[in-house]
Amino acid sequence: MKTWVTPGGVHPPENKHQSLTMPIGTLPLPEKLIIPLSQHIGVPANPCVQIGETVLKGQKIAEASGPLSVPMHAPTSGTVSAIEHRPIAHSSGMLSPCIEITPDGREQWIEHRGIDDFQHASSSALLKTISEAGIAGMGGAGFPTAVKLNAGHQRPINTLIVNATECEPYITADDSAIRERAQEIVQGISILSHILSNPSTILIGIEDNKPEAIAALKPHVEDTGIQVVSFPTKYPSGGEKQLVYILTGQEIPSGKLPADIGMLCVNIGTTFAIKRAVVDGEPLISRVTTMTGDACGINRNYETLIGTPVSHMLANSAFDEKACSRLVMGGPMMGFSLTSAEVPIVKTTNCILAPSFQEIPEDEPAQACIRCGMCAEACPVSLLPQQLFWYSQAKDYERLEAHNLFDCIECGACSYVCPSNIPLVQHYRHSKGEIQKARAEKIKSDHARERFEFHQQRIEQAEKDKEAKRTARREAAEKAKATAANNRETSAPGSAADIIAAAQARAAAKKISPEQQRAKFERSIAGAEMRVSMAEEKLAEADPNRTQEQENILHAAVESARQKLDQARLRLAEHNKAHHGEQVD
Amino acid sequence: MLETIAQQPILAALIALVGLGTLFGGLLGFAAEKFKVEGDPIVEQIDELLPQTQCGQCGFPGCKPYAESIANGDAINKCPPGGQATINAIANLLDVPAPELDAEHGEEADVRTVAFIREDECIGCTKCIQACPVDAILGAAKLMHTVIADECTGCDLCVEPCPVDCIDMLPVKETIKDWHWPAPPTTADLIASDRRAQL
Amino acid sequence: MAFKQITSPHAHAAQSTSKVMQLVIWATIPGLIALTVHFGWGSLINVILATITSVIAEAVIIKLRNRPVDFYLQDYSAVVTAVLLGLALPPLVAWWVVVIGSLFSIVVAKQLYGGLGYNPFNPAMVGYVVLLISFPIQMTTWVTPLALLPEAVSHPGLLESLQIVFAGVSPADGVTGATPLDSFKYADGLLVDQIYAQDPLFSQAGIAGVGWEWVNIGFLLGGLILLGSKTFTWHGPIAMLATIALMSALFWDGGSSNSPGSPLMHLFSGASMMGAFFIMTDPVSSAVSNRGRLIYGALIGLLVYVIRAWGTYPDAVAFAVLLANFAAPFIDNYSLPRTYGHTDRRRATEKEEG
């Protein structure tokens, strides 16, 4: 089958054989399992267990909160021993809420059952199963799979692409999984195909450096309409955008999703998890993770429980800390360094790399950029990394955007080839972060300006209203005086009737006429209506990733604004009733 | 007629110049009418660059009045919340040298802060609500007040009026979602930095 | 256990700027050998003298700028500049010419702009042009190629050459002479065939000019080595040479007395090959994208030909490269590559829509 060639790319040493000498193994149960509540894009899950509670293997321990969230499950049976902030798999090395489970060693499953005949199940039921199983893209980004598939439901998907590229050096998790579990993987793909109402083309994209995996897949895809497409090995062929182009010759427009051009990409590890969830009813509680690098005596793939601390993996792999130059979660090109080995394995962890100083030496100091252009030759999306670097240093964010900084996929090919050892990717990440921060601040300051202007207006209006009242009162008083003077002329001065008349006139001046009263009520209704619409708008516009708490606040705001509106309406109605007679008169 | 003019160079020059002057004057006048710009765009542009905290530290009641004042020639270094970045941006816009922040008006804060009301202590006096320039405080008379943290600009105008001192300015913590990579250490081989590099 | 926070990618190719620079230096060797064989020891002395001056100048400036001297000298960029300047200068030129040129290249054209990576102009060419304008006599006196030396005259030996360079001893009669581009330019009123028949520089040559053709072939060879090692892409050099060939073919004029010369002569005389593979490929001062480098190369080729054919200078690579350096940012602005997922190329000054 025809494949297309992406521009750029690099050929770093593959280093994949080390971890492929043994089949996928299992690790002994660790003492503690730490399950981060945020292993995916979107809002962290909400814990639904208490400290001290006993949980069974596969039991849900955290609920999805919001549309872009997925639930978490206990990877083994045991006791919830802590719910607190722990270091997680994130470049920042910051802490994030986690649930800690102390295993009881019995590995007792919760009662679970799969769907026997998925071919006759509705897509929505299957999507629900996938969502409930806590499956998020296992290739890297951790996008909730059910959401992705659902997006596919809104637009027709004609091409399903299964990403088995695994283009990063060292990583063999997908490779070994395909070798040993090809049948289940193909079954998972059939489930996907069924959910997507059988797209016309189903492709498994795989680099030609995995002949064993290709051979393992071939017998299972016969007569299924699934095509296994192999293409020359080049980093980064496994990026979603790159793979789509390699397999179809089409580009995903900038800022769009594959679904926008009728395609859907799923990682091959995810398809296995889908099979487990749908056919066996097992939630996602373990994944294949490669343990590799020369600082470890044993290099192999493990079926690892989610939540296993990296230190536990290292301890079981003859790890020599002194020989280790850095600890990387993911591959050597896009993986991020861990500052602590207590970080747990999460749903997106495909590799733990513990290289020796010979394999990956300390970074050398950066020299000057000579604009040699090797980075531009290596860039898979045809950017000019040297210019981006130049403008990053100059903090010229306008030019950076004009040079399509946000199309950079951070694959690291430019830094890899840079002869001056410039940490280009870090420059881009920093600049992207700064631009995003500036955008967020701009939105915030615009919002503040609007509110300030509204505030000013409100105060001015109040001031005007007061002024109007004051003039009305003064005029009424003058009128009363005039009347009194007239009276004085006609009747005797100082009479009791005179005083009473004056007092009545004063009272009349003070009392607001029913018309004025009604106008006031109407104003307050208009104000209340505006507040309701503003609150609703805010609720609609609010960040989709908002927390439950934020959402509650917004809902409460809408609710209270509505109540106020109702009150105001009620008051007006009463007023109208009371003054009905007068009006007719 | 033409010949006479041609023979009188001074006359010819005069006629030509006057003619040109009238022509271009007319053109300019036409353009000024046709492409008339409403309002004072420079004020808007300056206002865009100001941080909109409406804190009044510059001595003006809000950012817009200060923007107007800058447009009329006021100093551009009176905005502590915006700090040096804002000064640089305005200097760039107006094409003037960027001065340091005027310490008289306050110092640039490292971290953004928002107001927080210790709700147990709040007596419901509504003074802070009146002080807030962006209506970010919720509450009613004799009832507890609270700050909508997302709307708070951190201007701290509400701290002063509170009779029971129950408002704190708390720093906004960096979350894992806000975090982004710091800039890599620069090789700093630009000439301008040479002397400083050694100090 | 605590580990370092390091940004990805963790793996790096075993390539370094100093290796690139060293490769460029090695690649000049075929050209240097050809120069030495055909024009004597002069070029070698130039190169060595320029290198010593440049490295010392660079070290002093880096020291003045309070930078680690070792670290910055290790990039070999000063040596490359010096070697290229030394090769471009006429053999047996007085020592002070070489020293002034080197100092100007390193101090003014490179370090005053911020050092490697920040110089807007090719430092070697700035030095060369300063010399050419300041000392036209010294700079236009070239050595007669070996094959054309009068009988009983030979190129001065190493010692004698050193005396000529450092002590100002005059070389023997007939040792110096014109270059092919010179004699072609000043042979007014003659048909091309007549020039070729009369001037031994051409009559005894294979394709372009005695000695000079071999020098150009030497630089071409070195250039192909660099091209093969992917030190630079083909776009710039090929665009430049193709433009020179195209222009000279267009204006060949059938070899009349007004003809500025044949394509072969233009490609293989003067500094054509050296310019195409060693001078204009200086990445710092050139355009950045491949498309940009095509335009940049074509512009240099055009300027070289225009100045050679109708200007007052016989050769023009230095001027052409410097003029194109001026244009590089402008070219960059209009030659961004099309990024994945975009339908159009953008301009660098374009703003984000909406």
Side-chain angles (χ1 to χ4, degrees), chain A residues 91 241 251 254 321 326 332-333 335 337-339 360 362 370-371 377 381 399 402 404 407 415-416 419-420 429, chain C residues 1 3-10 12-13 16-17 116-117 283 290 293 338-342 346 348 350:
Chain A
S91 323
K241 292 172 165 185
E251 290 182 7
S254 176
E321 197 191 334
R326 58 183 85 180
M333 298 300 287
S337 59
L338 299 177
T339 45
I360 297 182
E362 303 266 319
I370 56 165
R371 313 217 289 165
E377 290 296 300
V381 290
R399 286 281 176 111
N404 298 325
D407 287 294
S415 304
Y416 176 79
S420 291
R429 285 187 178 139
Chain C
M1 278 184 267
F3 297 90
K4 268 182 244 161
Q5 184 186 35
I6 309 166
T7 188
S8 68
H10 305 280
H12 292 283
S16 72
T17 298
L116 180 63
N290 285 340
R293 284 182 181 170
R338 186 190 66 86
T339 307
Y340 179 103
H342 289 259
R346 301 178 79 162
E350 206 167 354

Side-chain angles (χ1 to χ4, degrees), chain B residues 11-62:
Chain B
L11 198 65
L14 247 158
I15 289 173
L17 283 177
V18 168
L20 279 174
T22 324
L23 182 71
F24 286 116
L27 263 176
L28 276 175
F30 173 73
E33 272 307 304
K34 171 101 184 174
F35 305 107
K36 194 170 181 177
V37 186
E38 294 296 332
D40 190 359
I42 197 75
V43 172
E44 300 290 324
Q45 285 174 37
I46 298 169
D47 193 36
E48 283 280 301
L49 297 175
L50 291 171
Q52 305 301 328
T53 47
Q54 319 294 356
C55 63
Q57 289 183 63
C58 50
F60 293 90

Side-chain angles (χ1 to χ4, degrees), chain A residues 38 40-44 88 90-92 94-96 336-337 366-368 393 395 423 426-427 429-430 433-434 437 441-442 444-449 451-456 458-459 538 545 550, chain B residues 44 47-54 61-65 112 114 129-137 148-153 174-189:
Chain A
S38 184
H40 48 266
I41 284 183
V43 187
I88 62 155
H90 192 269
S91 323
S92 66
M94 285 164 101
L95 308 185
S96 180
F336 49 86
S337 59
Q367 288 173 289
Q393 277 197 317
K395 300 196 191 305
Q426 192 180 344
H427 279 283
R429 285 187 178 139
H430 172 69
E434 288 290 313
K437 199 172 127 198
E441 265 167 19
K442 180 91 188 78
K444 204 170 152 52
S445 81
D446 282 349
H447 187 68
R449 180 186 301 117
R451 287 181 71 94
F452 175 67
E453 276 164 10
F454 180 75
H455 173 91
Q456 295 289 92
R458 191 174 50 97
I459 287 177
K538 216 167 144 236
N545 302 339
Q550 282 172 327
Chain B
E44 300 290 324
D47 193 36
E48 283 280 301
L49 297 175
L50 291 171
Q52 305 301 328
T53 47
Q54 319 294 356
C63 296
K64 187 73 174 279
R112 208 168 72 78
V114 293
I129 297 182
Q130 289 157 28
C132 181
V134 291
D135 295 341
I137 303 177
I148 312 170
D150 280 357
E151 307 290 1
C152 177
T153 63
E174 189 184 39
T175 64
I176 213 159
K177 282 233 181 290
D178 304 333
W179 182 88
H180 66 82
W181 275 96
T186 46
T187 39
D189 34 13

Side-chain angles (χ1 to χ4, degrees), chain A residues 160-454:
Chain A
L160 171 64
I161 293 174
V162 181
N163 191 343
T165 319
E166 207 165 51
C167 60
E168 275 241 21
Y170 286 100
I171 309 176
T172 55
D174 290 347
D175 192 357
S176 58
I178 300 169
R179 290 184 195 192
E180 296 179 32
R181 300 163 178 178
Q183 193 196 350
E184 291 178 282
I185 285 169
V186 172
Q187 218 175 340
I189 299 172
S190 316
I191 297 170
L192 277 175
S193 161
H194 176 66
I195 293 174
L196 298 169
S197 6
N198 302 310
S200 56
T201 320
I202 305 175
L203 307 169
I204 304 179
I206 186 163
E207 282 187 338
D208 61 5
N209 60 353
K210 302 176 191 64
E212 292 91 346
I214 298 170
L217 277 172
K218 280 271 161 73
H220 296 288
V221 297
E222 268 172 35
D223 308 320
T224 56
I226 302 171
Q227 287 168 283
V228 180
V229 187
S230 78
F231 46 86
T233 304
K234 180 166 86 174
Y235 178 84
S237 300
E240 189 174 69
K241 292 172 165 185
Q242 281 63 44
L243 187 62
V244 164
Y245 182 76
I246 290 169
L247 295 181
T248 67
Q250 291 188 59
E251 290 182 7
I252 307 166
S254 176
K256 294 275 170 71
L257 294 170
D260 292 314
I261 53 169
M263 294 187 196
L264 203 104
C265 281
V266 186
N267 178 267
I268 198 141
T270 315
T271 64
F272 178 73
I274 288 170
K275 184 263 163 187
R276 278 281 166 92
V278 172
V279 178
D280 308 317
E282 293 178 10
L284 177 54
I285 52 167
S286 70
R287 64 157 297 142
V288 182
T289 302
T290 310
M291 178 71 244
T292 187
D294 280 356
C296 281
I298 304 166
N299 284 191
R300 74 183 295 188
N301 285 288
Y302 292 107
E303 182 69 35
T304 322
L305 292 180
I306 306 297
T308 308
V310 170
S311 57
H312 179 71
M313 269 186 107
L314 294 172
N316 285 284
S317 307
F319 174 61
D320 177 8
E321 197 191 334
K322 284 196 193 76
C324 181
S325 66
R326 58 183 85 180
L327 195 58
V328 180
M329 185 174 275
M333 298 300 287
M334 286 188 81
F336 49 86
S337 59
L338 299 177
T339 45
S340 155
E342 295 314 309
V343 164
I345 303 294
V346 292
K347 293 172 181 176
T348 52
T349 309
N350 49 11
C351 181
I352 297 294
L353 175 60
S356 67
F357 286 95
Q358 286 78 47
E359 279 179 293
I360 297 182
E362 303 266 319
D363 287 342
E364 281 176 43
Q367 288 173 289
C369 171
I370 56 165
R371 313 217 289 165
C372 61
M374 286 185 194
C375 46
E377 290 296 300
C379 182
V381 290
S382 308
L383 297 170
L384 291 176
Q386 69 274 54
Q387 297 291 82
L388 291 174
F389 166 64
W390 187 264
Y391 294 126
S392 284
Q393 277 197 317
K395 300 196 191 305
D396 189 341
Y397 298 136
E398 226 166 73
R399 286 281 176 111
L400 280 173
E401 287 190 57
H403 279 79
N404 298 325
L405 173 68
F406 281 92
D407 287 294
C408 167
I409 58 168
E410 298 176 17
C411 66
C414 50
S415 304
Y416 176 79
V417 296
C418 180
S420 291
N421 301 308
I422 301 169
L424 293 164
V425 175
Q426 192 180 344
H427 279 283
Y428 308 151
R429 285 187 178 139
H430 172 69
S431 294
K432 280 183 185 176
E434 288 290 313
I435 292 173
Q436 269 154 354
K437 199 172 127 198
R439 282 181 188 168
E441 265 167 19
K442 180 91 188 78
I443 291 171
K444 204 170 152 52
S445 81
D446 282 349
H447 187 68
R449 180 186 301 117
E450 245 167 62
R451 287 181 71 94
F452 175 67
E453 276 164 10
F454 180 75

